[in-house]
Amino acid sequence: MASSTVAAGAAQSYTYTRPSGLDSGLLGLSTSGGTTSSGPQAHPHFFSGVLTQAAPAAAALLALADVAQTRYFQPRPTSFRDPVVTCNGDRIRMESFSACGGVYARLDVLEPALDGEVHERGTTNVDVNGPLREALARVGGSDPLHLAVGAEELAVTTMDGAVVEKKVPLPDRWLRGFAEVQVITAGFDLRGELKGPDAVRFLRSLPKRAREALWVVPAGRTMRMSSRPVPGAVCLAGPDRLRTMLPLLRFAKAMRAYGPAVSNGSGPVSSVWELELPGMRYVLTLSPRHSRGFSGEGAVLEDISTDQAAGDADLLGALLSFEPRVEPGLLSERSGLGLARTRAALTQLGTSGRVGFDTAEAAFFHRELPYDPARVAALNPRLRSARALVEDGAVRFTSGDRATVLTDGGEREVRFDGDRATCTCPWWFDHRGERGPCKHVLAARIVRRETGQGGPVGQGGPVGQGGPVGQGGQGMDTARAAEAGR
């Protein structure tokens, strides 16, 4: 792949034949290496035609770029990572992730806003540079904008004709969050909706400096703020993280909020905020707190800890062809797998970045993260640590519902109560299962399942012990979490 770097943890290299640019009404987006329906390509050509809604598209692309270079938690200068772009045929999706790992952004340019020819389906990175950002900020009015995604003959050339290469740090934590946020939001439902003018009033009324999690409760035509969760509420942790929506308000037709089911006493959870624009959707997914990202999630680790899930994911992955909607029922029929196994395999594909999730349509979509495959395949260090404990023979069942796990930090005791489990490690005492199982519980479950010790594990019940997928709690890695849980 032209854009990947094999060194684990150093940098991602984006290679373009020329920079993206906006010139004489033509927006030319240069592509780097990626995967298409016909195989890997160094510079795929996805689309050429017209953006029928130029001003909102330009403003939304700028907002997406702003997220990619922002560190919301402990702000400081950071390098810019080029957006991931997927052409699903009837739409073009652009995705970015904040530098701190706590905000995921996506712009869906839908069929009503596109008029042109789809040349290929697939995923790649596109160049977004400083001069392009300045040009996008000047786009206004209602004139259509010509768009080329990867068409070399239409892109703006450099003065000397040389290739453009960018190298930026690509933390594994950031990459894991990019993949796993899709699985988290798959358990969300629509909780509230505001029409354009009401959405404008709501967003402009949000406190600017609140760092603690707030709760938003639908109230007639509007939404009201609450300091406590109640049934039907949506968590809003760090309302300042919605600020990239403000320049888009003049185009807004509606705003929708998605989240998991909560009750009195619930802790902070993630949420999705969608701004409907003419022919487009701009979506932000927020972690439960400013200080927490998505990389330490772990709420789906049990689902992906089996060899069966990995094998099923490989089978389903071969059947995908960058569909805008992945239908589990159809995949189940085509693969010969049961629906439950198909859904578990989609979970596995989500945590490896091979599918995204669209809350507006309550459906997965196929995409392939255009990064070094070796790094994408190693996105779950807690699962790797658990398997290493199993391979080392560190797990010993002392009774049907109790196991001892020997680690460098000493012995940890894992106790089972049906499908739930507790551990004596600091990770469990800190999080009580809200951020998924620790490596000791995960290792004990693997041994229990593979050897039959302690009786059948069952089907997992609430994933991650904290509720359905999407409610398990999400977290940015901390030093203690890294030592204790991983």
Side-chain angles (χ1 to χ4, degrees):
M1 188 187 303
S3 66
S4 64
T5 301
V6 294
Q12 177 79 13
S13 177
Y14 305 121
T15 304
Y16 304 100
T17 57
R18 59 204 70 199
S20 296
L22 177 56
D23 184 47
S24 301
L26 170 64
L27 174 59
L29 297 178
S30 292
T31 60
S32 187
T35 303
T36 72
S37 54
S38 57
Q41 293 187 21
H43 304 286
H45 179 189
F46 288 144
F47 178 84
S48 58
V50 171
L51 277 172
T52 61
Q53 300 290 334
L61 182 54
L62 271 176
L64 191 83
D66 286 343
V67 171
Q69 68 173 14
T70 301
R71 186 181 297 275
Y72 295 93
F73 178 63
Q74 295 180 342
R76 61 180 183 268
T78 184
S79 57
F80 179 75
R81 302 172 182 93
D82 287 340
V84 172
V85 174
T86 299
C87 180
N88 290 123
D90 66 343
R91 67 197 67 186
I92 295 175
R93 303 181 191 267
M94 305 182 185
E95 303 172 87
S96 67
F97 216 85
S98 66
C100 61
V103 179
Y104 163 80
R106 191 179 75 245
L107 170 63
D108 295 339
V109 184
L110 306 174
E111 193 171 18
L114 295 171
D115 184 8
E117 181 180 359
V118 174
H119 300 279
E120 182 64 276
R121 297 186 183 202
T123 309
T124 186
N125 291 106
V126 293
D127 172 49
V128 176
N129 51 65
L132 175 62
R133 291 169 59 108
E134 294 175 5
L136 288 171
R138 295 192 294 268
V139 173
S142 58
D143 292 337
L145 187 67
H146 292 274
L147 171 67
V149 183
E152 294 186 11
E153 68 276 10
L154 296 178
V156 178
T157 60
T158 59
M159 294 298 292
D160 58 4
V163 298
V164 177
E165 184 170 355
K166 301 179 180 179
K167 290 185 178 180
V168 298
L170 190 69
D172 287 340
R173 181 178 64 192
W174 180 87
L175 186 54
R176 291 199 310 272
F178 205 147
E180 293 188 6
V181 71
Q182 318 303 327
V183 182
I184 296 166
T185 57
F188 289 6
D189 291 312
L190 178 65
R191 302 293 176 186
E193 180 174 1
L194 297 177
K195 296 301 181 183
D198 298 315
V200 170
R201 284 190 288 270
F202 171 77
L203 285 173
R204 287 180 174 168
S205 69
L206 292 176
K208 296 180 179 180
R209 304 186 187 280
R211 287 300 183 97
E212 295 301 316
L214 301 175
W215 298 86
V216 178
V217 183
R221 293 177 50 187
T222 186
M223 296 180 178
R224 61 177 178 85
M225 306 299 299
S226 172
S227 59
R228 298 180 180 180
V230 296
V234 181
C235 183
L236 178 53
D240 63 294
R241 295 189 291 176
L242 295 181
R243 66 176 179 263
T244 57
M245 287 185 167
L246 295 178
L248 306 178
L249 290 180
R250 65 187 187 276
F251 309 112
K253 300 176 67 176
M255 187 187 73
R256 300 177 184 91
Y258 302 81
V262 300
S263 60
N264 297 327
S266 292
V269 290
S270 295
S271 57
V272 174
W273 301 83
E274 170 200 316
L275 205 60
E276 181 186 348
L277 308 172
M280 289 163 258
R281 292 191 292 258
Y282 179 72
V283 182
L284 294 177
T285 301
L286 308 182
S287 66
R289 295 185 187 278
H290 253 85
S291 59
R292 288 172 59 177
F294 293 98
S295 63
E297 161 52 26
V300 297
L301 285 172
E302 176 134 356
D303 267 8
I304 66 174
S305 64
T306 67
D307 291 336
Q308 182 186 70
D312 290 349
D314 288 341
L315 173 60
L316 262 59
L319 299 176
L320 298 177
S321 185
F322 295 97
E323 296 89 349
R325 291 177 57 92
V326 174
E327 303 290 349
L330 181 60
L331 272 183
S332 177
E333 292 178 8
R334 293 178 62 192
S335 65
L337 301 176
L339 191 57
R341 285 178 61 181
T342 297
R343 294 186 183 280
L346 283 173
T347 296
Q348 174 100 12
L349 290 170
T351 57
S352 61
R354 300 191 62 190
V355 294
F357 190 79
D358 186 344
T359 50
E361 299 187 4
F364 285 102
F365 60 90
H366 181 208
R367 61 107 144 85
E368 303 276 347
L369 287 179
Y371 303 121
D372 177 20
R375 296 182 69 183
V376 175
L379 291 178
N380 295 286
R382 209 182 313 168
L383 180 57
R384 292 201 310 274
S385 297
R387 285 175 171 159
L389 289 173
V390 174
E391 292 174 2
D392 291 343
V395 181
R396 179 173 57 89
F397 272 83
T398 56
S399 66
D401 61 356
R402 187 173 301 184
T404 298
V405 183
L406 182 62
T407 71
D408 292 340
E411 289 189 352
R412 307 301 185 194
E413 186 175 90
V414 175
R415 296 184 181 184
F416 290 96
D417 181 9
D419 289 328
R420 298 176 64 85
T422 61
C423 183
T424 57
C425 72
W427 172 274
W428 192 89
F429 278 107
D430 282 349
H431 305 295
R432 305 285 172 168
E434 289 187 356
R435 293 176 63 183
C438 64
K439 64 183 180 183
H440 315 105
V441 167
L442 197 56
R445 285 189 184 278
I446 292 173
V447 170
R448 195 182 192 207
R449 179 175 53 244
E450 292 179 350
T451 66
Q453 296 187 66
V457 178
Q459 299 303 313
V463 176
Q465 307 165 41
V469 173
Q471 297 182 44
Q474 298 77 32
M476 185 176 299
D477 303 329
T478 62
R480 187 176 184 186
E483 294 176 1
R486 302 175 121 176

